[in-house]
Amino acid sequence: MVLRWASLFRIQQLSFSESRHPLTLRKCGQEPQQALQRQLCSSLRNGPQQDLACSRDKDRPETPSQELRDKLKLLNGGTPWSCAHEETVRSLMDLGFTEDQVIQLCEGTSSQMPPLSTQGLATLSTLTTLGLNPSSILRILEKCPELSRINGNQLQQRINSLRKLGLLEGSLQRVVAHCPHILTLTPKRLGTSVRFLREECQFTGQQVTEILRSAPATLLEEKRQLQNKFQYAYFRMGIQHTDMVKSGLFRVPLEEIRSRHVFLERLGVYETPDKKGQTRIINPKLKDFLGTSQDFLTKVARASLDEFEVFRKLLAREQDEEKEGQEEEDSDSEEDEAEMGYESEESEQTEYTRRKK
Amino acid sequence: MAALVDTRCVFLKFKVFPHLIPRRFRVKKKWAATLPRITSTKLALQNFDVNYGTQFGERWPSIRVSLLSEQKYGALINNFSSAEELIKGLELQGARDFVYEAQARTWSPGSVSGKPLGDEKLEWSSSLAAGQSGNEVPLSSQVGEGVEMAAATEPPSLSPNIKCFTFPKGDITAFSPARLDGSGLLGYYLLDAASVLPVLALDVQPGHTVLDLCAAPGGKTLAIIQTQACWRLAANDSSVSRTGRLRRILQSYIPREHSTEDRVRITSFDGRRWGELESNTFDRVLVDVPCTTDRHSLLEEENNIFTRSRSKERQTLPLLQSQLLLAGIKAALPGGVVLYSTCTLSQLQNEYVVERAVQAAQEELGVTVHIEDLSPLTQLFRDTFHFAQGMRLGELVLPHLTSNFGPTYFCKLRRIN
């Protein structure tokens, strides 16, 4: 309680020391947030209200209704620094939240989403600045409660780094709304993933942005997983970078890609291009076979669902046996026998491994 | 032994015009060790894509993916070991005896014990009942249909006492390896369940003399012995090493008293000579010829018939197969049954060989051979196997992902005179 008041007081001081000009929206990301903070915490309102990036319903009452007050009084007993404080409630409503949403925020809807804290308030304001409407923000917080625990400044920094990667306004909002966990990544971690895509996988900057836009969850994956997926697609399937990006390869998990690809390969419908990039048959487009399973089965594979299901199980078993076989080999350190089986069924890793049949 | 070569000549491959270098010093790319060889499995696959692509058309991709994936096994029960416990164990796992199940469907639906309809079926069904003691198998829900089928076509006459367990369609559980029982015999033999079909079609009846012309490695021979119906069995294979393997298998499964020299005779002669050796002797002859073994050729490098060094052998296979079949026909008694089977999909090795042999028997020996219709059998087992439709001659089990048995071709011939 004391802490909160102290921080609020400090921010109030800031606002008084600043110019007394009305709030204006500036280009730089930092300013609107500070301005919003001031608005949130001070009960003084200098000058006319300017339109902020968030949409506000001017017709809604700015003072909370009696009903709301009663409900919040019930919560008062719970947490010591409960947000059942008039100030906070009013600020939330200024941001555009309806009464129900305010209650949701204060209670914490599920076990995953705890009641709102100070930092949570800062997160809310940042997200509002970004241009997201209140219902989306609520959804985001439900999906990813960790967000409310992040420092407001850090959050802004991360949003900035995403902007630098080329995510423009419309896409940025969509990405954050779709995959809020991306904001839980530290800039360093984000940088590592992006560097991996650029340097090791040799994607261009534009392609990286496109991947980010269509499959933001890629950045959350561990490097090893990402590497496996890329290597499988590039070496084993022979797909080029442009196709990978256009078809949304990174949206699909590796297991699914592998089972569909090996199924098509064994059917004789797909052939890995040889060294010169030629194939004897015309391969189906990646876009087509990474689509819905219905499309995949009827149009590309032309097989029944039963067959594909059984095939998946068989392939999973083959993979397990291969792994066991490789582990045994490593532990025995026997001399490798010549490679058995035909070439297209080789191990997917780029290091040329020979396996004993 | 290194030839004494002027070192300047060795380096001549760089910079100098090729036609100025003696041929023996030029770099010969085709023998360079670093270039990848095309493996024989890949050659086999290319060959099949061309041949079977045209033969099967739209159905080929489905067969192709099954051939390239892990095959499904069946467990042939060893009647000479203590089968009770074993059978219960297998049933707990979910496996079912497909032979019994299929036949149970042709019996009258009302009785649980499965009383047969009509007198003509008494012979084989009673021996079946004798072999299946204590086996509680629920009658399938398709019994109604089965009864109609029985009314329409007579159920086929099959070799008795054969029990083979498989997992249902779509189930890929694997059988664990067989274990030794108290008497030192293995409980079951794992094989491709489609290999049991030719033995069932052979219709070995009690007291018959049977010849197995290309017996190794021994799965079908073992099945014949399991019928406990043949009075004398002659098992032959042209390769001595493979005959040794056959002997070992029989040792592990059959007690000594049942595999004495007078009951089971194992030889290593060339099968084509049987016409002269023992003509007009056998009631039943099984001719399971060497073929391109499609499944093996696609997955195993070792002993692959598609290696370039064996291409002559591969091309003369159909001739060898017709000769073996002809010898089998000669060895059979008039009225006897000769069963031709292969494990390939190729028409050249299947229908073509049968036609040639039948023709040769007529022209050269004056022996008439009739080809019997096996559609009752395929109808009986259509729930376990995937049979090819519209076969002109004989029956073909196609591999399918849900029932990955085969490929097996079999054709039943009866010698008339």
Side-chain angles (χ1 to χ4, degrees):
Chain A
M1 187 75 151
V2 174
L3 257 143
R4 184 174 165 270
W5 270 114
S7 63
L8 282 177
F9 187 67
R10 251 184 280 121
I11 292 166
Q12 245 179 352
Q13 295 294 327
L14 262 175
S15 75
F16 282 127
S17 61
E18 285 267 82
S19 69
R20 290 175 186 259
H21 288 294
L23 303 162
T24 51
L25 186 65
R26 294 194 210 163
K27 280 265 157 68
C28 178
Q30 291 285 350
E31 297 298 324
Q33 200 219 342
Q34 273 182 10
L36 199 57
Q37 287 269 16
R38 276 177 247 137
Q39 246 239 310
L40 267 178
C41 306
S42 69
S43 44
L44 303 164
R45 296 207 160 81
N46 303 324
Q49 310 266 330
Q50 291 285 335
D51 264 359
L52 296 176
C54 70
S55 58
R56 272 175 49 191
D57 192 356
K58 293 222 163 84
D59 298 329
R60 260 189 303 111
E62 282 177 14
T63 49
S65 62
Q66 188 55 40
E67 207 186 301
L68 188 58
R69 276 183 231 241
D70 291 335
K71 280 190 199 154
L72 292 175
K73 273 221 177 72
L74 285 170
L75 296 171
N76 213 356
T79 46
W81 42 264
S82 87
C83 72
H85 197 271
E86 282 274 335
E87 288 287 326
T88 326
V89 171
R90 204 175 295 163
S91 335
L92 284 174
M93 297 192 70
D94 282 340
L95 279 178
F97 287 95
T98 63
E99 297 191 354
D100 292 320
Q101 289 170 335
V102 170
I103 295 174
Q104 266 189 319
L105 280 171
C106 292
E107 271 179 15
T109 41
S110 56
S111 55
Q112 287 169 341
M113 183 165 131
L116 201 60
S117 59
T118 332
Q119 280 192 323
L121 212 52
T123 312
L124 283 177
S125 59
T126 318
L127 291 174
T128 320
T129 323
L130 200 52
L132 294 162
N133 64 42
S135 35
S136 341
I137 297 183
L138 205 61
R139 264 200 305 270
I140 289 174
L141 280 179
E142 271 171 30
K143 260 197 233 178
C144 180
E146 297 92 52
L147 269 186
S148 45
R149 285 196 279 275
I150 303 174
N151 185 357
N153 276 341
Q154 273 185 339
L155 199 63
Q156 195 55 51
Q157 252 186 344
R158 292 175 190 183
I159 294 179
N160 286 346
S161 51
L162 284 177
R163 275 215 182 89
K164 271 194 223 137
L165 284 172
L167 279 180
L168 301 174
E169 286 317 303
S171 344
L172 184 58
Q173 276 82 0
R174 237 176 301 130
V175 164
V176 171
H178 180 69
C179 178
H181 293 269
I182 206 173
L183 293 173
T184 58
L185 292 174
T186 63
K188 187 174 170 199
R189 175 90 167 71
L190 189 67
T192 323
S193 304
V194 171
R195 233 195 329 260
F196 170 71
L197 285 173
R198 276 238 191 92
E199 287 164 25
E200 289 185 39
C201 301
Q202 304 267 318
F203 283 108
T204 67
Q206 269 186 341
Q207 287 171 336
V208 175
T209 313
E210 185 54 37
I211 292 174
L212 200 51
R213 217 171 52 78
S214 59
T218 318
L219 297 180
L220 294 166
E221 276 181 44
E222 270 185 38
K223 186 177 159 198
R224 187 91 187 125
Q225 283 175 355
L226 202 55
Q227 195 175 37
N228 284 343
K229 195 191 280 198
F230 176 76
Q231 284 177 347
Y232 188 83
Y234 190 71
F235 293 106
R236 182 83 168 73
M237 293 172 73
I239 302 178
Q240 297 304 314
H241 294 89
T242 34
D243 289 322
M244 279 194 223
V245 174
K246 258 197 287 187
S247 62
L249 178 87
F250 289 97
R251 271 199 294 258
V252 187
L254 178 59
E255 282 314 308
E256 184 65 25
I257 298 174
R258 201 206 309 262
S259 37
R260 288 193 189 188
H261 167 245
V262 182
F263 189 56
L264 289 180
E265 193 177 42
R266 291 189 187 176
L267 279 171
V269 168
Y270 189 91
E271 194 185 308
T272 305
D274 62 5
K275 276 190 296 233
K276 295 188 197 149
Q278 294 164 341
T279 55
R280 262 174 290 138
I281 53 171
I282 301 175
N283 281 347
K285 294 222 190 307
L286 192 59
K287 257 199 307 253
D288 293 333
F289 82 76
L290 288 181
T292 59
S293 55
Q294 200 52 42
D295 274 345
F296 167 69
L297 285 173
T298 45
K299 292 192 198 147
V300 186
R302 267 175 261 161
S304 67
L305 186 60
D306 297 326
E307 285 178 284
F308 189 48
E309 290 300 311
V310 175
F311 179 76
R312 249 202 270 237
K313 288 188 236 169
L314 283 172
L315 190 64
R317 196 160 67 184
E318 270 178 49
Q319 297 284 318
D320 290 335
E321 281 172 12
E322 210 182 287
K323 260 188 226 153
E324 271 172 41
Q326 276 189 342
E327 280 168 15
E328 270 178 32
E329 243 187 51
D330 292 336
S331 60
D332 290 344
S333 66
E334 283 173 327
E335 230 179 53
D336 288 334
E337 279 186 33
E339 171 190 302
M340 300 286 208
Y342 54 110
E343 284 174 351
S344 57
E345 283 286 275
E346 257 179 57
S347 166
E348 294 94 51
Q349 289 143 29
T350 45
E351 308 106 62
Y352 183 72
T353 50
R354 292 158 154 205
R355 72 183 148 102
K356 202 161 76 162
K357 205 49 188 291
Chain B
M1 182 199 84
L4 288 170
V5 170
D6 191 354
T7 36
R8 282 173 300 169
C9 296
V10 174
F11 291 115
L12 274 174
K13 57 188 178 190
F14 305 119
K15 307 284 182 179
V16 189
F17 298 116
H19 58 269
L20 291 179
I21 314 170
R23 189 178 284 271
R24 62 188 183 281
F25 296 134
R26 287 184 216 162
V27 173
K28 293 167 188 83
K29 261 196 179 152
K30 62 181 166 171
W31 289 314
T34 48
L35 283 178
R37 298 174 294 128
I38 298 184
T39 54
S40 41
T41 48
K42 197 156 191 184
L43 279 173
L45 188 59
Q46 284 173 4
N47 182 307
F48 294 160
D49 275 332
V50 169
N51 292 331
Y52 301 151
T54 29
Q55 185 180 327
F56 292 104
E58 286 291 311
R59 291 177 296 168
W60 170 235
S62 160
I63 302 172
R64 189 189 200 267
V65 65
S66 315
L67 283 174
L68 292 171
S69 309
E70 203 181 316
Q71 69 173 114
K72 200 166 172 182
Y73 288 95
L76 177 70
I77 300 291
N78 186 6
N79 290 327
F80 299 102
S81 76
S82 42
E84 293 287 329
E85 288 280 326
L86 191 65
I87 288 176
K88 284 208 181 71
L90 287 175
E91 283 182 350
L92 274 176
Q93 283 184 357
R96 293 285 177 267
D97 180 1
F98 75 83
V99 182
Y100 182 77
E101 297 260 298
Q103 287 169 325
R105 257 180 267 130
T106 64
W107 298 338
S108 98
S111 60
V112 175
S113 62
K115 278 223 194 86
L117 313 153
D119 292 356
E120 67 271 11
K121 301 171 198 78
L122 265 172
E123 202 187 309
W124 56 265
S125 60
S126 61
S127 55
L128 240 170
Q132 307 276 352
S133 49
N135 209 0
E136 274 174 37
V137 179
L139 285 178
S140 69
S141 55
Q142 293 172 24
V143 155
E145 224 182 84
V147 171
E148 283 172 297
M149 285 302 319
T153 54
E154 228 182 74
S157 185
L158 302 174
S159 307
N161 293 330
I162 291 182
K163 301 189 199 79
C164 184
F165 276 75
T166 55
F167 286 100
K169 260 192 179 174
D171 188 338
I172 61 159
T173 326
F175 285 103
S176 39
R179 284 201 302 263
L180 287 171
D181 69 352
S183 42
L185 299 174
L186 289 170
Y188 50 77
Y189 181 74
L190 290 180
L191 81 174
D192 183 350
S195 305
V196 174
L197 291 176
V199 180
L200 285 171
L202 188 62
D203 185 25
V204 182
Q205 294 303 320
H208 276 170
T209 330
V210 184
L211 168 66
D212 189 351
L213 213 46
C214 312
K220 294 191 179 77
T221 322
L222 191 61
I224 295 176
I225 300 181
Q226 294 298 326
T227 60
Q228 294 165 304
C230 58
W231 178 54
R232 280 224 169 94
L233 172 65
N236 176 70
D237 195 84
S238 56
S239 147
V240 178
S241 57
R242 282 151 60 90
T243 321
R245 198 166 146 195
L246 174 63
R247 256 183 244 272
R248 278 194 296 275
I249 286 182
L250 291 187
Q251 266 173 8
S252 323
Y253 285 88
I254 316 292
R256 296 246 73 200
E257 56 270 18
H258 289 271
S259 62
T260 49
E261 269 305 306
D262 63 319
R263 300 276 309 264
V264 178
R265 189 189 70 194
I266 302 177
T267 49
S268 313
F269 301 134
D270 180 356
R272 291 173 286 190
R273 293 170 49 197
W274 233 267
E276 306 105 55
L277 288 177
E278 281 180 316
S279 55
N280 295 9
T281 322
F282 297 96
D283 295 292
R284 298 286 188 261
V285 181
L286 177 64
V287 187
D288 183 26
V289 293
C291 57
T292 49
T293 53
D294 292 357
R295 210 183 264 279
H296 174 93
S297 304
L298 282 179
L299 297 176
E300 299 285 332
E301 254 325 290
E302 234 178 72
N303 237 354
N304 196 318
I305 202 170
F306 282 88
T307 46
R308 290 196 204 275
S309 49
R310 290 176 77 180
S311 60
K312 192 75 187 285
E313 186 186 335
R314 185 165 45 88
Q315 279 152 15
T316 53
L317 261 183
L319 179 61
L320 169 66
Q321 292 165 341
S322 342
Q323 286 170 340
L324 281 167
L325 182 53
L326 196 58
I329 293 173
K330 282 193 222 168
L333 281 170
V337 169
V338 180
L339 199 100
Y340 177 75
S341 89
T342 67
C343 42
T344 176
L345 295 161
S346 159
Q347 275 176 339
L348 267 181
Q349 293 170 54
N350 297 338
E351 288 101 312
Y352 177 73
V353 165
V354 173
E355 283 171 345
R356 248 184 90 160
V358 170
Q359 204 180 21
Q362 186 65 63
E363 289 167 9
E364 293 169 27
L365 311 167
V367 169
T368 323
V369 177
H370 278 177
I371 295 170
E372 290 202 355
D373 180 27
L374 284 169
S375 40
L377 190 144
T378 53
Q379 279 294 343
L380 198 60
F381 295 117
R382 69 188 185 284
D383 284 337
T384 319
F385 301 99
H386 226 77
F387 289 101
Q389 301 298 317
M391 288 292 289
R392 208 166 31 93
L393 217 58
E395 300 297 337
L396 181 60
V397 174
L398 294 174
H400 188 262
L401 276 173
T402 49
S403 52
N404 205 356
F405 303 117
T408 304
Y409 172 82
F410 54 100
C411 183
K412 186 169 178 179
L413 303 107
R414 195 178 282 274
R415 180 171 167 172
I416 306 298
N417 57 351

